[in-house]
Amino acid sequence: MSTREYDLVVIGAGPVGENVADRAVQGGLSVAIVESELVGGECSYWACMPSKALLRAGSALRAARDVGGAAQAVTGQVDVAATLKRRDAIVHEWNDASQVEWLQSAGIDLVRGHGRLSGERQVTVTDADGRATVLVARHAVAVSTGTAALLPDIPGLRDARPWTSREATGVRDVPASLAILGGGVVGSEMATLFASFGTAVTVIARSGLLGGVEAFAGEAVKQALTDAGADVRTGVEVESVERIASGDVVLSLSDGSEVRAAELLVATGRVPRSQDLGVDAVGLEPGAWLDVDDTLRVRGFDWLYAVGDVNHRVLLTHQGKYQARAAGDVIAARALGRAVDEAPWGAHVATADHSAVPQVVFTDPEVAAVGHTEASARAAGIGIRVLDYDLSWVAGASTHADHYRGQARAIVDEERRVLIGATFVGPDVAELLHAATIAIVGEVPIDRLWHAVPSYPTLSEVWLRWLEAWGR
Ligand SMILES: Cc1cc2nc3c(=O)[nH]c(=O)nc-3n(C[C@H](O)[C@H](O)[C@H](O)COP(=O)(O)OP(=O)(O)OC[C@H]3O[C@@H](n4cnc5c(N)ncnc54)[C@H](O)[C@@H]3O)c2cc1C
Ligand SMILES: NC(=O)c1ccc[n+]([C@@H]2O[C@H](COP(=O)([O-])OP(=O)(O)OC[C@H]3O[C@@H](n4cnc5c(N)ncnc54)[C@H](O)[C@@H]3O)[C@@H](O)[C@H]2O)c1
């Protein structure tokens, strides 16, 4: 067994761990990063990148079909083989050589193998041949091990060999039919994707689609999926699952009906990858989320940090990377005795996690949201005004597409007279989102927004319509 010493040891080289390590090196620390699978993590190989690569062909085709002149040039369906090939290129054929090269260029030492905490400031890494290396951290250990798919306790489910998001995003043989359990972000995006491939999709959701965003967004996605031929069943649960002799999967639902499909995708949320992480060696519970303060330090420790999905603050790559920038900087500052800025919106805290999280869901239509929804603002006791506008009424929508359908909602804090939430639903709304994020984080007074003039004719003119609804 060999022992090596570093200022910081990071476990997990997903997008978040990579960024913690990079910032700490830039701050003057020596850093080792431990990875058991591929450098780049879930996001690069089995989540964000392959899913968005696969969804793009369908969305580009839908966009062209709704523009007279372009529509006439579209004579076929999505070319599935070509789409899978493009996905393979975007995930670098599941080879992490380029990410390893980047780690080297950034001055971060990679230790391949499974990392486990083996004591205070100590990580033991076991490689594929069973050899152990002990990494001693002079200052801190950061856990960025992410999440795995949650499989609910439904009779027969595990034996039916269901897909998780990994099999769906890594698909090679597109099934003729697919049942999807769960109507959250993964379920809705994968339903959109496989419907675009011509698969007969059935979604089974116990409530509506996309809980957590404004209800009109989930309803628009449900309508579009139904229009695309998918069977979307909401308000039902799966009671049991069986893979029958023919190879199909049969699901028995709470309303007495059955669904039969070639494959079943389970998209019912995530569990933290803390089960086999040695957290019990430092008094924490295996399999639990790691609870952190705003500097991403695990509560009760002065040397242990948890950054990204595994801390359960926000399960999104960009927000995890934002946390990583704060964590890498604060670890270096604390190690080297520099000033720490822990005030809200300071350099060393992830304040935006609480009030300004942006997310784009790449369904048809796209859903882009940041900050509060009407329901979350009211639940927080904030006095608000809701400004709704039909996106198809702005001039830009009529040139963008022939039958543009969309909706936009702003949530304004009446007392502070600032925007605290925005939701856009419609084709190509993703790029509208960042302006709203800036307005929320910057707490731009609504009266000043009158001077932020959207270009004509763009979809951004919805900002003007919101202001007109607010009044001056
Ligand atoms: C299908 C799908 C699509 C998604 N799409 C988007 C999207 O479009 N946009 C978005 O913002 N978010 C998206 N997400 C969420 C996003 O994938 C996560 O928020 C992001 O991957 C979290 O990054 P992370 O670095 O914390 O964890 P991960 O990306 O999960 O990386 C963790 C790394 O740690 C390694 N690891 C785990 N345990 C150990 C150990 N004990 N020892 C050594 N290494 C270990 C793992 O192998 C992995 O490489 C999607 C998720 C899914 C499932
Ligand atoms: N575009 C993006 O930003 C993007 C894309 C995919 C995933 N992600 C992130 O990845 C994370 C995981 O996504 P997800 O869709 O797995 O989780 P989720 O939490 O978004 O949705 C899970 C859904 O499954 C339902 N569910 C849970 N248990 C169930 C059961 N026993 N039976 C039926 N339904 C059940 C929940 O009610 C919920 O609607 C999310 O936090 C999401 O933000 C982001």
Side-chain angles (χ1 to χ4, degrees):
M1 189 180 325
S2 66
T3 300
R4 283 146 69 176
E5 210 171 297
Y6 291 88
D7 291 328
L8 168 68
V9 176
V10 179
I11 312 178
V16 177
E18 287 180 322
N19 276 273
V20 175
D22 186 35
R23 296 300 291 205
V25 167
Q26 288 185 40
L29 303 189
S30 65
V31 181
I33 196 163
V34 183
E35 175 54 52
S36 57
E37 295 183 80
L38 294 176
V39 174
E42 201 72 18
C43 178
S44 303
Y45 302 100
W46 298 286
C48 328
M49 295 308 286
S51 61
K52 268 76 256 183
L54 292 169
L55 279 156
R56 179 68 189 136
S59 85
L61 201 58
R62 280 191 298 276
R65 283 215 174 98
D66 202 21
V67 179
Q72 288 71 9
V74 178
T75 52
Q77 303 300 321
V78 167
D79 182 325
V80 175
T83 307
L84 298 184
K85 202 167 160 211
R86 181 167 181 267
R87 180 272 321 270
D88 292 352
I90 285 175
V91 300
H92 302 278
E93 308 274 351
W94 291 274
N95 180 319
D96 64 3
S98 63
Q99 302 247 28
V100 172
E101 210 173 289
W102 174 80
L103 280 183
Q104 283 162 353
S105 71
I108 302 160
D109 280 2
L110 171 64
V111 182
R112 289 213 186 255
H114 189 103
R116 290 179 188 85
L117 293 166
S118 45
E120 190 171 319
R121 294 186 172 85
Q122 187 178 300
V123 175
T124 299
V125 184
T126 309
D127 72 13
D129 300 322
R131 277 188 303 260
T133 303
V134 175
L135 300 175
V136 174
R138 277 185 288 267
H139 296 291
V141 174
V143 174
S144 294
T145 50
T147 59
L150 177 156
L151 285 190
D153 215 4
I154 296 173
L157 180 63
R158 276 163 205 273
D159 291 341
R161 302 182 307 282
W163 281 7
T164 67
S165 48
R166 281 202 174 195
E167 286 75 27
T169 56
V171 66
R172 293 219 168 275
D173 300 316
V174 174
S177 52
L178 177 68
I180 299 178
L181 175 57
V185 191
V186 172
S188 298
E189 284 189 348
M190 290 300 111
T192 304
L193 164 62
F194 282 94
S196 82
F197 280 0
T199 295
V201 171
T202 307
V203 180
I204 301 135
R206 58 185 180 189
S207 43
L209 298 189
L210 298 178
V213 293
E214 300 283 3
F216 64 80
E219 281 154 21
V221 172
K222 180 179 176 184
Q223 185 60 53
L225 279 171
T226 307
D227 292 347
D231 179 3
V232 184
R233 305 193 190 184
T234 51
V236 279
E237 307 237 9
V238 173
E239 293 192 329
S240 66
V241 182
E242 188 186 359
R243 193 172 284 268
I244 57 174
S246 69
D248 281 357
V249 183
V250 177
L251 293 84
S252 303
L253 308 191
S254 54
D255 62 3
S257 66
E258 280 190 351
V259 171
R260 187 172 166 157
E263 296 293 350
L264 164 64
L265 165 63
V266 178
T268 50
R270 313 289 298 174
V271 291
R273 290 181 70 174
S274 65
Q275 186 66 44
D276 186 15
L277 189 62
V279 291
D280 40 335
V282 297
L284 293 168
E285 192 195 331
W289 301 98
L290 298 181
D291 186 31
V292 297
D293 63 22
D294 266 4
T295 68
L296 295 314
R297 191 156 58 172
V298 177
R299 290 182 205 279
F301 293 80
D302 65 359
W303 58 273
L304 184 61
Y305 292 75
V307 196
D309 272 20
V310 75
N311 67 28
H312 207 211
R313 283 166 71 106
V314 185
L315 277 66
L316 292 169
T317 292
H318 47 272
Q319 211 67 19
K321 286 163 70 174
Y322 160 75
Q323 293 175 9
R325 293 188 283 275
D329 288 355
V330 80
I331 291 168
R334 284 177 175 146
L336 301 175
R338 294 190 199 120
V340 172
D341 182 3
E342 286 186 64
W345 305 109
H348 297 136
V349 287
T351 309
D353 284 357
H354 304 296
S355 57
V357 175
Q359 177 170 27
V360 174
V361 187
F362 293 82
T363 40
D364 169 31
E366 280 175 1
V367 176
V370 56
H372 276 290
T373 61
E374 177 179 3
S376 71
R378 293 202 194 285
I382 305 169
I384 55 166
R385 240 172 88 191
V386 177
L387 310 174
D388 280 326
Y389 197 76
D390 185 330
L391 259 183
S392 69
W393 293 345
V394 297
S398 61
T399 54
H400 192 83
D402 294 339
H403 309 92
Y404 195 97
R405 277 197 294 178
Q407 187 68 29
R409 169 171 289 180
I411 308 292
V412 181
D413 182 327
E414 284 215 282
E415 196 186 314
R416 292 168 56 228
R417 297 172 70 86
V418 292
L419 187 74
I420 57 167
T423 301
F424 306 91
V425 177
D428 298 320
V429 294
E431 300 296 343
L432 289 179
L433 189 61
H434 198 54
T437 307
I438 291 171
I440 292 172
V441 172
E443 299 174 317
V444 182
I446 196 147
D447 301 317
R448 177 60 66 89
L449 284 177
W450 280 97
H451 298 275
V453 185
S455 298
Y456 183 84
T458 62
L459 292 170
S460 290
E461 282 201 310
V462 66
W463 285 83
L464 194 49
R465 305 292 167 247
W466 279 341
L467 290 167
E468 285 163 357
W470 171 263
R472 174 141 99 158

